[in-house]
Amino acid sequence: MNSQKNSLLWHALTVFILFMMGAGLWIATKKIDYTWRWNRVPQYFFYQQETLVPAPFDARVASISKNGNETHIKLAGENGEDETYIVDTETLKVSENEDLFEGDYLGATFEWNAGPLMWGLWTTLWLSATASVLGLIIGLVTGLCRVSQNLTLRSLSITYIELIRGTPLLVQLFIFYFFLGTVLDISRIVAGISALAIFAGAYVAEIIRAGIQSIPKGQMEAARSLGMNVPQAMIHIILPQAFKRTLPPLAGQFISLIKDSSLVSVIAITDLTKSGREVITSTFATFEIWFVVAFLYLMLTSVLSQVISWVERRLSVSD
Amino acid sequence: MIKTVDLKKTFTGRGQTVYAVDGVTSHIKPSEVVVVIGPSGSGKSTYLRCLNGLETLTSGQIIIDGVDLSAKKTDHNLVRREVGMVFQQFNLFPHKSVLENILLAQQVVRKRKREEAEEKARMLLQKVGIPEKENEYPIRLSGGQQQRVAIARALAMDPKVMLFDEPTSALDPEMVGEVLEVMKQLAREGMTMVVVTHEMGFAREVADRVLFMDQGKLVEEGTPEHFFTSPQEERTKLFLRQVL
């Protein structure tokens, strides 16, 4: 009871400190000359596009029937054509029995479209997902090479891991885009995804290696003593256990990958970060957009970490 | 059934070469129960592990059921499926249920159908006395139960020989009996067994022959009667005085 009361007090203190920090920031922004325009942000997620509907031929308006927001217009052409068009009721420009020339507007329709921030979010999402899957495959293969008995495989994997982990991702992206992109004639998207995948692969390989080596030797011995060969023992015994143990660090790696993917904006891939920059150039709502972009990244990463902890719980039935 | 000729196994570390097994020549006949005893570090476990190729020999020869395990071209996996092994630490697969532990190698190695493998697994669980545990995970079982599952898992491969590497050493005393009972039953059924153990009672009661090893060498061998009542070697006498 006492400790519960205490923890409540500490939570209150936490909330208070966060509130004070927020208030401090708010006061600080009050002192500078900045007008917050949050109302400009939503249209960059979704916006309504107006499409004008023209009459396709010279015609007379045969009938108009209003149906809530939609209005059906029946046109009767001079040559016996007979067609119905739909426009938004509020935009209706014609009345019954009116004679129209080809190209006169009947009205307009509205359609919801995804804005640049949505497209950027989507690009970041699939870019990271593709790079994660590829990175996992590369890392798995490299990790297995890393623990292999074959000296060449081991040396090659170590070289790859050291090379990638010893250089900045930003530089790797430039090399992939400017050098490999030119030499191998690959598009910026392919260059960006490969750079991310190969970067993540090096870290995944080390995680997988550690996972494999953390499985007691007796497991491999038991599998071998039952007549399994090394690949069978790996697939059925070692890797499933290693996978379970490496799930938390792997999750961390993939969360990093989502965040690191923001660097592809430097090779002009329109991901979430670059979309944010583009929206800022047209709105000047710098502060708002960067906060929104940060929030969107936070959403992606926290959904991923929720999914992974769900998988972890499912796998823990044998503990 | 298993023949070893001048078996040697060395481990090298820090520039030193240690003979773990130093020239063991032995012959285990079909349906024979051979118990290997000796002080810690005498190389008895290494000897046993050489018998199914878990350790690679430094020199010498091992012939199992007519197949030369020491020959380069021999597929160790083919030999191993005929040689069951039970470990001190059980080494059950923790991510698989008891039943799946016993099914896996049958399906993967022996390519048995699921139904056939399940029938076999249930029969063996019955035999080791824990048919009700088939859906449990190993972690929920006592040490004795885990070791009995491990025995069932090895038996599911229909091995011609069973190797036991100190099967009761990691068990609480009250669980030793249940595991030894299963082993005794196996011996009665005529299974060829090589058992490394500290259980002198088991050796006396079940063994057809006892091997005594010290410092990698086979010091003395004989029937349990001979071995426990009138040992010839000084080293054997000293060891028996200490453990009995």
Side-chain angles (χ1 to χ4, degrees), chain B residues 162-234:
Chain B
M162 284 284 283
L163 309 178
F164 293 85
D165 187 4
E166 304 200 18
T168 56
S169 298
L171 296 177
D172 290 340
E174 71 265 30
M175 291 168 186
V176 171
E178 61 194 47
V179 172
L180 289 182
E181 202 44 58
V182 171
M183 291 168 65
K184 282 178 199 167
Q185 192 193 338
L186 267 183
R188 281 198 294 273
E189 289 167 6
M191 174 63 78
T192 312
M193 294 161 68
V194 184
V195 185
V196 170
T197 187
H198 293 293
E199 294 293 329
M200 295 304 149
F202 178 81
R204 217 180 269 219
E205 190 184 336
V206 186
D208 295 312
R209 197 146 51 98
V210 177
L211 309 186
F212 176 69
M213 282 182 73
D214 187 34
Q215 299 189 339
K217 290 191 164 61
L218 185 55
V219 177
E220 188 166 0
E221 62 177 307
T223 62
E225 275 149 43
H226 159 85
F227 187 83
F228 287 107
T229 53
S230 53
Q232 302 299 306
E233 302 289 330
E234 266 319 301

Side-chain angles (χ1 to χ4, degrees), chain A residues 217-230 232 236-238 240-241 244 316-319, chain B residues 49 52 54 77 80-81 83 85 87 91-96 104-105 108-109 111 137 139-140 153 157:
Chain A
K217 263 178 67 184
Q219 290 292 310
M220 182 53 110
E221 288 181 351
R224 302 301 310 270
S225 77
L226 288 166
M228 290 186 214
N229 55 32
V230 174
Q232 287 170 336
H236 295 288
I237 306 301
I238 307 297
Q241 294 183 58
K244 196 166 115 183
S316 67
V317 286
S318 62
D319 289 339
Chain B
R49 290 158 58 83
N52 74 342
L54 278 184
N77 297 318
R80 282 200 193 100
R81 64 176 73 168
V83 181
M85 182 141 184
F87 299 85
N91 295 347
L92 290 180
F93 307 133
H95 61 304
K96 296 198 171 288
L104 184 65
V108 173
V109 180
K111 310 287 180 213
Y137 281 92
I139 194 93
R140 308 227 186 284
R153 179 177 70 177
M157 298 297 287

Side-chain angles (χ1 to χ4, degrees), chain B residues 32-217:
Chain B
E32 197 179 22
V33 177
V34 174
V35 171
V36 186
I37 60 176
S40 315
S42 60
K44 52 193 192 310
S45 282
T46 312
Y47 163 73
L48 194 74
R49 290 158 58 83
C50 284
L51 294 186
N52 74 342
L54 278 184
E55 303 284 353
T56 48
L57 319 181
T58 309
S59 69
Q61 208 180 16
I62 300 179
I63 297 165
I64 296 180
D65 205 25
V67 182
D68 189 348
L69 193 65
S70 33
K72 274 228 161 85
K73 61 178 190 319
T74 305
D75 184 352
H76 282 200
N77 297 318
L78 289 181
V79 179
R80 282 200 193 100
R81 64 176 73 168
E82 311 298 340
V83 181
M85 182 141 184
V86 175
F87 299 85
Q88 180 177 353
Q89 299 296 342
F90 330 132
N91 295 347
L92 290 180
F93 307 133
H95 61 304
K96 296 198 171 288
S97 72
V98 164
L99 191 70
E100 288 167 334
N101 260 276
I102 305 174
L103 292 181
L104 184 65
Q106 293 193 67
Q107 292 179 293
V108 173
V109 180
R110 290 274 190 221
K111 310 287 180 213
R112 285 185 188 143
K113 293 256 180 308
R114 171 104 191 173
E115 303 80 62
E116 189 192 351
E118 267 187 31
E119 196 180 329
K120 179 109 201 162
R122 295 215 168 89
M123 190 268 282
L124 286 166
L125 280 174
Q126 192 83 42
K127 183 170 176 169
V128 300
I130 36 174
E132 74 283 3
K133 300 286 185 190
E134 65 169 63
N135 292 321
E136 293 284 0
Y137 281 92
I139 194 93
R140 308 227 186 284
L141 268 51
S142 72
Q145 291 170 332
Q146 289 194 43
Q147 192 61 298
R148 285 187 278 160
V149 173
I151 293 172
R153 179 177 70 177
L155 288 175
M157 298 297 287
D158 297 320
K160 293 176 179 152
V161 188
M162 284 284 283
L163 309 178
F164 293 85
D165 187 4
E166 304 200 18
T168 56
S169 298
L171 296 177
D172 290 340
E174 71 265 30
M175 291 168 186
V176 171
E178 61 194 47
V179 172
L180 289 182
E181 202 44 58
V182 171
M183 291 168 65
K184 282 178 199 167
Q185 192 193 338
L186 267 183
R188 281 198 294 273
E189 289 167 6
M191 174 63 78
T192 312
M193 294 161 68
V194 184
V195 185
V196 170
T197 187
H198 293 293
E199 294 293 329
M200 295 304 149
F202 178 81
R204 217 180 269 219
E205 190 184 336
V206 186
D208 295 312
R209 197 146 51 98
V210 177
L211 309 186
F212 176 69
M213 282 182 73
D214 187 34
Q215 299 189 339
K217 290 191 164 61

